[in-house]
Amino acid sequence: MTKIKHLLASCLLLCFLLTSIAGAQTLLHNANGYTSSDDGLQQFSVLVIGEDGKIIATGDEQLAEQYANATQVDLQGKTVLPGLTDAHAHVYSYGLLKHQLNLAGTPSLEQAVASIAAYAGQKPHARWILGRGWNQVLWPVQEFPTASDIDAAVADKPVWLRRIDGHAGWANSAALKIAGIDEDTPDPIGGKIIRDDNGHATGVLIDTAMRYIQKHVPENSKADVQAATISAVDALLAEGITSVHDAGIDQMNAEVYLSMADDGLLDMRIYVMIGGAGEVLDAIGSPIREYGNDMLEIAAVKIVSDGALGSRGAAMIEPYSDDAENRGLPFWSQSELDDMVAKANRMGFQVGVHAIGDLGNRMVLDAFDKAQGGKPSPLRNRVEHAQIITPQDIPRFAKLGVIASMQATHATSDKNMAEDRIGPDRILGAYAWRRLLDSGAIIANGSDFPVELSNPFHGLYASVTRQGRDGEPEGGWYMDQALTREETLHSFTLAAAYSANQEKRLGSLEAGKWADFIVVDRDYFTVPASEIDDIQVLQTWVAGELKYTRADSADAR
């Protein structure tokens, strides 16, 4: 019987593919469908897709009678949701990590060093050992590692490993030597070389100081970038993500995306933020909209205002509660930030600025206020992360029409150290989803992968429960800031589309929009909250074409 089911499933999949080629209408019925809309949550059981890959109509089973000649697909009561958007992530870095050393979740320094040694043994001909993911906060001794720690495992070639948040790097002595870093090397603006009591570099570099080493790392080719991108897209489609806002890419990434769109190789929608208001922005010149049959847009600029909380680089108005001499690292003066925002906006580009600390967020809001003349802008500028905000700055998001582009799993990952960093008073303005939403702000949700795991259902779960996947803490961490299930789905769909000026084409399952949707194995709105992060994607559709089918989901087809 199982073999018969799989054979029938394969035949149906072939039918889907032939349907998309022939351009016929497709009618999916017997669905347990939900979608956000401007009027709130809507339910449906029938979804009709036109030959152009856009939705003709949604409704109840009576609608099916009007489309008797369409290809019929029985979803057998399975739950259908709009395709999920990750509104802040890093596609190439995610794909690249599948080919480099991944230290995410490593429980101790000793285990990290053992992993480095094992990986180096598997790559005897590699010129550099590269990777990412270490997090000293998870280790028994929560201190930064040193070059000598790596030297004990690999001393004959350079090793360079980015921290989980990408805002610090860990090098061995060989890498420090190649970069020429010594006691006379200055700390750059917005960065710091961690040193011992004698002034010698220990091996950890914070934020802009990482450039000392990064510029010596061999560059990948366009073929490498495309391969990593395809690997990432395939994995993301399997998790129900149909659109990603790629937060900060370089010229090569942009060229690869354009080439892939030309060749029909983009299977998910990419909304690109160019990294910085410099040469790449000048080269692009003006926003690129709805490119490659609406699979690609290059319409935003990503700027970084400060560092991260875990490495104490987030720019704070007052010193850190656990480091009285440290206020973090602003990357720019206010006038420099103002000029970059103004330049990008004048060129027609939306601006998304990374801001973690309360000073970083205030500087960004001030820059937007100046560029927008104190009023909302049709470009819908964004604060990426918006993690720690003073109470008086929270209402400014709605007043200025600034999107709060936040990542739910950052709260549940940071809960073990955030209050230590900023204390019990400032924490009330941190990860303050409810306060922002109630003030009238728009929240677009994402993950910041590969900083966090890419699975969007982890974010849906974190937003609703304010808990880690281990169920801790009981009752949720500052549960008064949780969102409802409806609000959370909205933040991953229609609000995310709105944050990219795409809400008329994407983000909900409504007539005239692209048929981007997913079929999942349980009802997001009725399962216990503790099971939201366990939801599995059975199918992913983009523009009315089936792009992913779970291998063991024959019963869902």
Side-chain angles (χ1 to χ4, degrees):
M1 183 64 70
T2 300
K3 289 183 178 179
I4 294 175
K5 286 182 178 180
H6 281 286
L7 180 60
L8 290 173
S10 298
C11 291
L12 187 52
L13 176 57
L14 179 60
C15 179
F16 287 157
L17 295 175
L18 292 174
T19 295
S20 67
I21 294 171
Q25 293 176 345
T26 302
L27 184 144
L28 297 93
H29 65 99
N30 195 15
N32 176 39
Y34 299 94
T35 184
S36 292
S37 77
D38 291 336
D39 298 320
L41 188 69
Q42 304 291 322
Q43 291 185 258
F44 61 88
S45 61
V46 172
L47 176 67
V48 185
I49 304 170
E51 61 185 39
D52 59 356
K54 293 183 179 180
I55 297 168
I56 295 176
T58 60
D60 58 24
E61 294 298 323
Q62 291 183 345
L63 179 65
E65 298 174 6
Q66 304 175 35
Y67 296 92
N69 294 328
T71 300
Q72 306 284 314
V73 180
D74 185 352
L75 289 178
Q76 302 175 12
K78 296 296 183 183
T79 295
V80 174
L81 300 173
L84 301 174
T85 294
D86 194 310
H88 183 107
H90 307 279
V91 176
Y92 172 54
S93 294
Y94 176 66
L96 193 62
L97 193 56
K98 295 180 179 296
H99 307 283
Q100 294 183 346
L101 174 59
N102 188 349
L103 293 174
T106 306
S108 67
L109 171 61
E110 292 74 19
Q111 183 58 54
V113 172
S115 296
I116 295 167
Y119 182 84
Q122 297 166 8
K123 305 282 185 178
H125 303 298
R127 293 165 56 194
W128 284 65
I129 299 299
L130 302 171
R132 182 175 180 149
W134 60 273
N135 183 359
Q136 84 285 359
V137 175
L138 301 179
W139 299 344
V141 179
Q142 297 180 9
E143 296 179 355
F144 280 137
T146 67
S148 61
D149 293 321
I150 304 179
D151 293 344
V154 181
D156 61 339
K157 64 180 64 178
V159 178
W160 178 233
L161 307 166
R162 300 284 287 271
R163 192 179 183 274
I164 183 69
D165 57 14
H167 286 270
W170 176 22
N172 68 348
S173 296
L176 293 174
K177 183 177 180 180
I178 289 172
I181 296 174
D182 57 27
E183 57 270 22
D184 296 322
T185 305
D187 287 344
I189 295 173
K192 185 177 183 180
I193 301 170
I194 302 299
R195 303 176 188 274
D196 61 23
D197 293 339
N198 296 317
H200 300 304
T202 63
V204 170
L205 300 104
I206 308 295
D207 288 312
T208 59
M210 292 189 292
R211 297 172 187 168
Y212 283 129
I213 289 181
Q214 193 64 45
K215 65 184 179 181
H216 295 281
V217 176
E219 290 188 1
N220 287 314
S221 67
K222 285 187 178 181
D224 293 330
V225 174
Q226 179 168 306
T229 300
I230 290 173
S231 293
V233 168
D234 288 346
L236 296 169
L237 286 169
E239 293 178 333
I241 297 174
T242 58
S243 179
V244 172
H245 300 177
D246 200 345
I249 70 165
D250 62 16
Q251 182 74 35
M252 184 182 292
N253 282 160
E255 292 172 357
V256 168
Y257 274 141
L258 289 165
S259 176
M260 290 179 67
D262 287 338
D263 295 338
L265 297 177
L266 277 181
D267 284 340
M268 70 163 39
R269 303 186 196 279
I270 305 291
Y271 180 77
V272 168
M273 301 182 202
I274 298 165
E279 294 180 1
V280 182
L281 176 62
D282 294 335
I284 298 294
S286 60
I288 298 172
R289 295 281 188 183
E290 301 181 50
Y291 193 83
N293 198 30
D294 208 6
M295 298 304 292
L296 176 67
E297 295 200 336
I298 303 178
V301 167
K302 164 76 177 300
I303 299 170
V304 180
S305 78
D306 66 351
L309 194 63
S311 53
R312 297 187 185 85
M316 305 298 300
I317 296 170
E318 298 296 333
Y320 280 85
S321 298
D322 59 357
D323 188 353
E325 302 299 319
N326 185 10
R327 295 174 186 255
L329 299 166
F331 282 20
W332 313 100
S333 68
Q334 187 67 58
S335 62
E336 289 172 327
L337 187 59
D338 291 348
D339 289 346
M340 288 187 288
V341 169
K343 173 186 174 180
N345 279 179
R346 280 196 307 269
M347 296 174 69
F349 286 86
Q350 178 192 62
V351 176
V353 188
H354 163 116
I356 302 289
D358 54 12
L359 176 59
N361 276 278
R362 178 168 293 175
M363 291 177 68
V364 175
L365 290 168
D366 287 348
F368 288 154
D369 197 337
K370 184 175 181 179
Q372 298 173 195
K375 301 176 181 179
S377 166
L379 294 171
R380 300 176 187 169
N381 291 320
R382 307 159 45 144
V383 178
E384 305 299 320
H385 310 308
Q387 275 184 220
I388 305 161
I389 312 167
T390 64
Q392 57 265 44
D393 282 333
I394 286 177
R396 299 178 69 192
F397 282 79
K399 177 185 176 183
L400 294 170
V402 171
I403 307 295
S405 175
M406 307 180 77
Q407 299 76 46
T409 49
H410 278 347
T412 52
S413 292
D414 291 356
K415 61 184 171 56
N416 62 331
M417 61 84 181
E419 194 161 349
D420 291 338
R421 294 283 192 272
I422 61 176
D425 295 327
R426 288 182 289 188
I427 199 69
L428 299 179
Y431 318 94
W433 313 327
R434 172 56 55 196
R435 291 187 180 90
L436 279 161
L437 204 64
D438 287 349
S439 75
I442 302 290
I443 294 178
N445 225 318
S447 70
D448 200 14
F449 67 72
V451 175
E452 302 282 353
L453 296 177
S454 56
N455 189 327
F457 287 98
H458 296 177
L460 289 157
Y461 164 83
S463 182
V464 171
T465 67
R466 300 279 294 200
Q467 293 175 319
R469 296 197 70 209
D470 59 359
E472 296 294 332
E474 185 177 354
W477 186 66
Y478 290 97
M479 189 61 185
D480 62 319
Q481 295 307 299
L483 302 184
T484 67
R485 298 191 198 207
E486 181 177 340
E487 291 166 340
T488 298
L489 181 65
H490 186 77
S491 72
F492 273 97
T493 55
L494 193 54
Y498 179 90
S499 74
N501 288 276
Q502 297 175 326
E503 75 279 6
K504 294 181 179 179
R505 295 174 278 128
L506 305 174
S508 60
L509 300 177
E510 298 177 277
K513 294 189 177 184
W514 288 108
D516 298 352
F517 62 93
I518 58 176
V519 182
V520 296
D521 69 343
R522 64 197 86 178
D523 191 329
Y524 162 73
F525 283 99
T526 62
V527 296
S530 60
E531 292 184 18
I532 292 174
D533 59 333
D534 295 323
I535 292 174
Q536 299 292 312
V537 174
L538 303 177
Q539 296 177 0
T540 301
W541 295 63
V542 179
E545 293 187 18
L546 186 64
K547 296 294 185 181
Y548 165 78
T549 301
R550 185 174 168 179
D552 59 351
S553 61
D555 290 334
R557 302 189 186 102

